[in-house]
Amino acid sequence: MSTGTFTPDPGGAPLGRQVMAQAGMEARLILRNGEQLLLAVVIPVVVLLGGIVASKRIDLNLSERPIDLLAPGVLALAIMSTAFTSTAIATGFERRYGVIKRLGASPLPRHGLLLGKVLALLVVEAFQIVVVAALALSLGWDPSVSILGVLLASVLGTAAFGALGLLVAGLLRAEATLAFANLVYLLLMVGGAVVIPVDEYGALGQVVRWLPSGALGESMREALIHGSPAWIPLLVLVGWAAVGAALTARTFRWE
Amino acid sequence: MPLAEPAVVVDRLVMKYGDKLAVNSLSLQVDRGTITSVLGPNGAGKTTTLETCEGYRRPMSGSVRVLGLDPQKDRRALLPRIGVMLQSGGAWSGVRAMEMLDHIAKLHANPLDTGMLSERLGLADCGRTPYRRLSGGQQQRLGLAMALVGRPEVVFVDEPTAGMDPHARRTTWDLLQEMRADGVTVVLTTHHMDEAERLSDMVHIIDHGRVIASGTPEALTSSNHKATLRMVLPLLPDGALQGLSAILGPDLEVSPIDDARVQALGPADSGTLAAVARWYEHHEVLPFSLTLGQRTLEDVFLELTGREMEA
C-alpha cells in the first residue's frame, strides 16, 4: 500500500511526554483565566497587606511579629485556593464541556491525567509562592525555614485539598461546584485557621486544628516560624488526603 | 497488514438506561478500509452503540470487539489506535483552536502535521480563537481534526457534519473518502440519508436499538432492478387500492400520510406506468404527486418502519 497523508501510524506518545503536555496545558489555562488568577495571587496578596495593616490597628497580642506570622499563613491560603478551589472549578467545567470524556478516549491514561493535574497545581503554586514570598520579604519577613517542613506542607496540603476539590467536582454540577468551592474557600479563609493561627480561635481551636485548612496553616507556620516540620498537622493532612482520595475514587464520574 | 479480521464486530449488544432499552440485541460488522454508516433517527441507539465501541460504556450483555480487542478490558491497547469525535464538546472553553489540536497531537507518537490538518479543514483562520467563540461548524471541524490527528486505524465520528454549512460538509466528505483511500476505517453515525447514501460502502439502518437493514447503499435502494414509483393519493375506497396492487404487484406499499392522503410506493416499469395511468382514469383520481426514480434510503426506512426518519 502506498503511503498517503492519512495512512495509519497510531500510537501513544511516551507517558512522560503526555503528562508534561497535560500539565503544561492545564497550568497555562489556570494562569490565563482572570478569575483563577485573582484567586491564586491577588487575594493572598491583599490578605497579606490587609493583615499587616490591621495588626497595627488592633492589638491581637501576637507572639511573633505580624509579618512573620502572616506570611506562612498566606502561603497556606495560596496553596488552598489553587489545590481546592481552582481544581474543583476547573474540573467541574471539564466534565461539563466533555473535556475529560474526550481525553478519556485519547492515549492519556487516567493516572496520567491526574498526574498532569497535580504537576500543573505544583507549577501554579510555585508561581504563587515566589510572588507571595518576594512581597513578604520586601516587607521585612524574617523566616526561619525548614525546607522539608515547607515541602511536606505544600505537597500534603495539595494532596488533601486537591482530592477534596475533585470530590466536589465529581458530585456537583459545574455551577454548583463554582459556588460551593468559592464559599468553602471564604469560610475556611476566615474561620479555618489558615491565615490566623489555631491558638487565636480560643476553644474553637480544638476543632479547627483538625480541619485540612488548620492543619495546612499550622504546618506551614511551624516550618517557617520555628524551622521544623509539624508532624501532627502533617499527619492530619495525610488523613484528609486519604479520605478525600478514597471518596473521590468511589464517587467520581468522568463524564 | 492482514485485512481478514473485521475492524468492528458488535454481537447481540444490549444496553439499558434505567428501564429503557437503548440497544436491543444489536449486531453489526464493519470491514476494514470501509466507510460504514450507522443510520437511524434520533434516539435509535446510534451514539450508545458507538460509545460502547469507544470503551465508554460496558455492554450489559453481548460483546463488542474493535480491532480484535475488548474496548473495556484492552482499553489502553486500543485507545491509541482509534480516533474519536464526540457529538459535541470535548475542549476547554478558553482553549484556542490550534492549541487544543496541538495538545491532542502531543499525546500521540506519530501525529499528523496539525498545520496541514487545520488547513484542510478550514480551521487555519480561527486557530487563535477560543473554543467558546468558534461557530458550531468550526467546533465540529476541530472535533474531527482531533479524531484524525493521531493517525488512527479506525475513526468513530458521531454526526460529523451536524451544524456544518454545505461547503464544509463537502470538504468533510472528501476528507473521509481520502482517509478510506489511505486505509483508514471510518465508522460514522448520521441521520442524514444523503450522507449515508453518498459516502458509505456499507449502511446499517437502526431503529429502536436494532439493526433493521444492512447493505451497500446500492443493494438497499435497488429492488428487482426496477425503478420505484411513488405517488401521493387522496383517500380511496379499499377496492380501488386493490386494483392498484393488481397492477404494481405484491411489493406495493401503501402507508397513510395524514387524514386525507396516502403514499403508495411500488416497483414500476414502462408497462406498469401505462396501467397506472388507466387506473387513474378509471377511478377519476388525480395524484397529489407522482415521482419515478431510484429508491432512496428514505424510502427504505419508510418501508421498514412505516415512519419517516426525522431529519
Side-chain angles (χ1 to χ4, degrees):
Chain A
M1 195 191 296
S2 66
T3 306
T5 311
F6 298 105
T7 302
D9 191 2
L15 182 61
R17 234 166 66 201
Q18 293 190 48
V19 170
M20 291 313 288
Q22 185 66 24
M25 187 80 206
E26 296 214 10
R28 271 205 308 282
L29 287 168
I30 293 176
L31 293 173
R32 189 187 296 163
N33 183 315
E35 298 125 67
Q36 301 265 40
L37 212 57
L38 180 77
L39 208 63
V41 175
V42 178
I43 293 179
V45 164
V46 168
V47 169
L48 182 64
L49 295 175
I52 289 167
V53 172
S55 68
K56 284 179 182 156
R57 299 265 174 92
I58 47 173
D59 184 15
L60 277 173
N61 195 19
L62 299 173
S63 53
E64 314 288 333
R65 292 193 305 144
I67 183 71
D68 290 340
L69 199 64
L70 280 171
V74 170
L75 289 175
L77 178 71
I79 287 171
M80 182 177 90
S81 76
T82 297
F84 178 72
T85 315
S86 292
T87 299
I89 294 170
T91 309
F93 280 97
E94 282 173 356
R95 284 178 68 220
R96 150 73 64 83
Y97 294 128
V99 177
I100 295 189
K101 182 174 182 179
R102 179 61 188 78
L103 291 175
S106 79
L108 181 69
R110 283 171 185 177
H111 61 268
L113 176 64
L114 273 180
L115 208 57
K117 278 189 177 299
V118 170
L119 280 180
L121 291 183
L122 293 178
V123 167
V124 175
E125 287 172 7
F127 169 70
Q128 293 174 289
I129 288 171
V130 167
V131 170
V132 171
L135 178 68
L137 288 170
S138 76
L139 294 171
W141 182 33
D142 182 21
S144 99
V145 184
S146 157
I147 302 266
L148 178 68
V150 173
L151 273 180
L152 283 175
S154 305
V155 169
L156 293 175
T158 301
F161 276 110
L164 293 170
L166 286 179
L167 179 65
V168 172
L171 289 176
L172 303 179
R173 284 183 307 112
E175 287 79 8
T177 298
L178 178 76
F180 185 77
N182 278 319
L183 179 68
V184 168
Y185 169 76
L186 282 175
L187 289 176
L188 290 181
M189 177 165 71
V190 176
V194 190
V195 183
I196 303 165
V198 165
D199 295 341
E200 303 294 326
Y201 284 80
L204 206 60
Q206 290 311 313
V207 179
V208 293
R209 71 168 67 245
W210 300 103
L211 293 177
S213 52
L216 176 58
E218 289 305 302
S219 50
M220 205 55 112
R221 275 184 286 276
E222 194 63 27
L224 288 166
I225 294 172
H226 301 118
S228 59
W231 298 111
I232 292 176
L234 288 172
L235 276 176
V236 173
L237 288 177
V238 170
W240 278 101
V243 169
L247 287 175
T248 302
R250 288 181 73 129
T251 57
F252 195 82
R253 298 281 167 271
W254 292 90
E255 285 180 35
Chain B
M1 186 169 60
L3 290 174
E5 181 186 48
V8 178
V9 181
V10 177
D11 184 28
R12 285 164 292 173
L13 176 69
V14 176
M15 296 294 286
K16 283 182 194 168
Y17 296 117
D19 284 343
K20 197 179 166 290
L21 204 56
V23 175
N24 182 7
S25 195
L26 182 147
S27 300
L28 61 80
Q29 185 174 315
V30 174
D31 290 330
R32 290 211 189 193
T34 62
I35 297 180
T36 297
S37 292
V38 177
L39 174 71
N42 290 331
K46 304 187 296 288
T47 297
T48 304
T49 303
L50 215 61
E51 291 193 346
T52 312
C53 295
E54 295 157 353
Y56 285 120
R57 303 177 189 284
R58 188 183 301 277
M60 288 186 166
S61 82
S63 71
V64 173
R65 291 288 176 276
V66 178
L67 298 169
L69 300 170
D70 180 333
Q72 288 280 326
K73 282 219 302 274
D74 310 319
R75 192 175 165 77
R76 296 262 50 96
L78 178 63
L79 287 182
R81 298 173 64 187
I82 66 173
V84 170
M85 176 185 175
L86 300 176
Q87 212 174 83
S88 65
W92 288 279
S93 75
V95 74
R96 299 185 182 109
M98 275 311 280
E99 193 179 27
M100 188 70 213
L101 184 56
D102 284 330
H103 179 56
I104 298 292
K106 279 185 204 148
L107 304 178
H108 290 273
N110 316 299
L112 293 172
D113 180 68
T114 54
M116 177 279 295
L117 195 55
S118 64
E119 197 77 42
R120 288 289 306 268
L121 280 164
L123 289 167
D125 50 357
C126 61
R128 293 189 55 79
T129 308
Y131 185 76
R132 64 172 173 276
R133 299 225 180 87
L134 296 175
S135 72
Q138 287 169 333
Q139 291 185 350
Q140 288 292 104
R141 280 178 274 153
L142 177 60
L144 182 62
M146 285 158 59
L148 311 186
V149 72
R151 305 186 70 160
E153 289 167 66
V154 184
V155 291
F156 294 96
V157 288
D158 201 355
E159 306 266 356
T161 59
M164 284 188 191
D165 61 48
H167 174 72
R169 269 186 108 189
R170 198 141 313 129
T171 309
T172 302
W173 288 348
D174 290 346
L175 195 73
L176 292 175
Q177 280 167 331
E178 190 180 330
M179 289 173 61
R180 170 181 56 191
D182 287 345
V184 181
T185 307
V186 180
V187 185
L188 69 98
T189 69
T190 181
H191 57 248
H192 293 299
M193 307 282 182
D194 56 337
E195 186 159 271
E197 209 164 313
R198 180 184 152 148
L199 206 57
S200 344
D201 303 297
M202 194 71 169
V203 179
H204 300 287
I205 303 181
I206 75 173
D207 188 39
H208 296 306
R210 300 188 78 110
V211 174
I212 55 174
S214 292
T216 64
E218 297 74 33
L220 285 171
T221 52
S222 75
S223 60
N224 311 325
H225 305 288
K226 284 184 178 177
T228 294
L229 184 64
R230 179 211 279 262
M231 45 199 155
V232 176
L233 300 166
L235 285 182
L236 292 163
D238 281 352
L241 281 174
Q242 270 165 26
L244 192 59
S245 83
I247 300 167
L248 290 168
D251 287 338
L252 174 71
E253 305 262 349
V254 179
S255 48
I257 295 174
D258 55 33
D259 290 344
R261 298 179 301 166
V262 294
Q263 171 170 273
L265 198 69
D269 56 25
S270 52
T272 37
L273 272 183
V276 167
R278 281 194 297 275
W279 178 82
Y280 289 154
E281 187 182 24
H282 178 74
H283 291 282
E284 294 180 349
V285 171
L286 198 59
F288 292 115
S289 72
L290 170 71
T291 52
L292 184 69
Q294 283 294 320
R295 288 202 322 170
T296 64
L297 287 175
E298 188 89 50
D299 301 325
V300 176
F301 187 81
L302 183 70
E303 281 165 38
L304 291 167
T305 66
R307 290 180 288 120
E308 305 235 7
M309 194 183 296
E310 193 188 345

